C-alpha cells in the first residue's frame, strides 16, 4: 500500500477542497493517506478580516497539523498552496523551512512529489508557484512527477506543471469537473510512479 502525504495550506477553503478530492481519489485507488493542513501562522487580525478565513479555520480546527514526520512516513507527497503574489503561501513555506533536519539526513530524497495550487486569475502565477515548489523538491532529491499532457484532462485544464484552480472574480468559484479530473489524474499518476519505483 503506497503511503501518500497530502500537505497543504488553505486560508478560505479552496485548496482544502482540492486536497480533499485528491485524498478521496487516492484512498479509492488503495493508498494509505495522511491529509494534513499546515497550521495557521497569520496574525489573528488578518484571519478575522475575512469571514471565509474564519470559517475555514473553524472547519479544520480538530484536524491534525502537518508535521515533518508526515513527509518522513510517506512514499509519495502532494503539496497544495494558494498562489500568493506568484509564490506559495508563507504558511506553507514556513512549514517547509522546518524540514532542514530531515533534508540533512537525506530523508526527503527518493520520494515522488507533485503539487497543486489555486489563484484568483488564470494567469495569476500558478505556474511560478508550482515551479517554486518544484525547486524545493529538487533540493530534497525528490522525484518530481508533473502531469505533462499525459491525459486528456490536461488538454482541458491546460496545466502540465500540476493542477491549478481559478477562483474567479469573487474568489470563491467551486471546483468544476475539469479541476476534479485533473486532480484525479495528478494523484493517480503520482501513486502509479511511486508503485513502479517500489516494484
Ligand atoms: C496576499 C494574497 C496574495 C495573492 N496573490 C495572488 C496572485 O498572485 N495571483 C492570483 O491570481 N491570486 C492571488 N491571490 C488570490 C488567492 O490565490 C486565492 O484567494 C486563493 O487561491 C484561495 O485559496 P484558499 O481558499 O485555499 O485560501 C492572492 C491572495 C492573497 C490574500
Amino acid at each position: 500500500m503506497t503511503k501518500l502525504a497530502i500537505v497543504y495550506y488553505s486560508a478560505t477553503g479552496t485548496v482544502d477542497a482540492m486536497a480533499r478530492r485528491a485524498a478521496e481519489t487516492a484512498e479509492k485507488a488503495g493508498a494509505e493517506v495522511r491529509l494534513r493542513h499546515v497550521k495557521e501562522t497569520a496574525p489573528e487580525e488578518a484571519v478575522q478580516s475575512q469571514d471565509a478565513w474564519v470559517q475555514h479555520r473553524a472547519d479544520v480546527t480538530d484536524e491534525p497539523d502537518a508535521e515533518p514526520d508526515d513527509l518522513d512516513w510517506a512514499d509519495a507527497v502532494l503539496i497544495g498552496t494558494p498562489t500568493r503574489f506568484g509564490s506559495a503561501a508563507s504558511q506553507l513555506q514556513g512549514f517547509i523551512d522546518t524540514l532542514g533536519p530531515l533534508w540533512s539526513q537525506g530523508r526527503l530524497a527518493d520520494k515522488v512529489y507533485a503539487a497543486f495550487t489555486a489563484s484568483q486569475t488564470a494567469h495569476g502565477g500558478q505556474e511560478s508557484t508550482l515551479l517554486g515548489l518544484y525547486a524545493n523538491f529538487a533540493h530534497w532529491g525528490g522525484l518530481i512527477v508533473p502531469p505533462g499532457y499525459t491525459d486528456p484532462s490536461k488538454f482541458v485544464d491546460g496545466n502540465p506543471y500540476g493542477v491549478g484552480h481559478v477562483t474567479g472574480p469573487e474568489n470563491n468559484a467551486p471546483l468544476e469537473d475539469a479541476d476534479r479530473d485533473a486532480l484525479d489524474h495528478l494523484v493517480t499518476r503520482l501513486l502509479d510512479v511511486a508503485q513502479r519505483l517500489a516494484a
Side-chain angles (χ1 to χ4, degrees):
M1 191 183 257
T2 304
K3 295 176 188 162
L4 172 69
I6 302 177
V7 172
Y8 71 98
Y9 172 75
S10 179
T12 55
T14 309
V15 172
D16 176 87
M18 297 175 82
R20 283 173 202 281
R21 173 67 185 204
E24 193 182 313
T25 300
E27 279 169 355
K28 278 187 196 152
E32 187 179 352
V33 179
R34 286 190 189 179
L35 178 67
R36 298 288 186 268
H37 67 253
V38 165
K39 76 178 169 204
E40 187 56 76
T41 56
E44 189 56 28
E45 59 266 33
V47 177
Q48 293 296 332
S49 70
Q50 281 188 61
D51 292 346
W53 200 348
V54 172
Q55 181 62 52
H56 181 60
R57 294 303 350 135
D59 290 345
V60 298
T61 193
D62 293 333
E63 296 185 13
D65 293 335
E67 298 290 345
D69 175 67
D70 297 318
L71 272 71
D72 197 22
W73 166 87
D75 309 307
V77 179
L78 191 55
I79 302 275
T81 177
T83 288
R84 295 270 191 263
F85 306 127
S87 299
S90 64
Q91 292 86 345
L92 180 77
Q93 210 64 57
F95 172 74
I96 285 175
D97 288 356
T98 68
L99 299 176
L102 280 184
W103 163 80
S104 68
Q105 298 167 60
R107 299 182 74 106
L108 298 173
D110 304 336
K111 300 171 189 287
V112 293
Y113 293 88
F116 58 94
T117 188
S119 66
Q120 187 165 10
T121 56
H123 297 282
Q126 293 186 349
E127 294 178 7
S128 53
T129 298
L130 295 170
L131 290 170
L133 287 170
Y134 291 177
N136 294 155
F137 304 158
H139 281 249
W140 302 343
L143 304 166
I144 301 166
V145 184
Y149 291 91
T150 56
D151 185 77
S153 65
K154 301 313 299 179
F155 291 91
V156 179
D157 90 325
N159 190 336
Y161 301 93
V163 174
H165 170 65
V166 177
T167 58
E170 303 303 321
N171 206 22
N172 62 2
L175 298 188
E176 297 178 355
D177 285 348
D179 302 301
R180 286 186 280 271
D181 291 348
L183 284 164
D184 291 353
H185 172 252
L186 184 73
V187 72
T188 304
R189 176 171 161 80
L190 189 68
L191 293 173
D192 179 52
V193 175
Q195 280 156 13
R196 283 200 246 168
L197 269 177

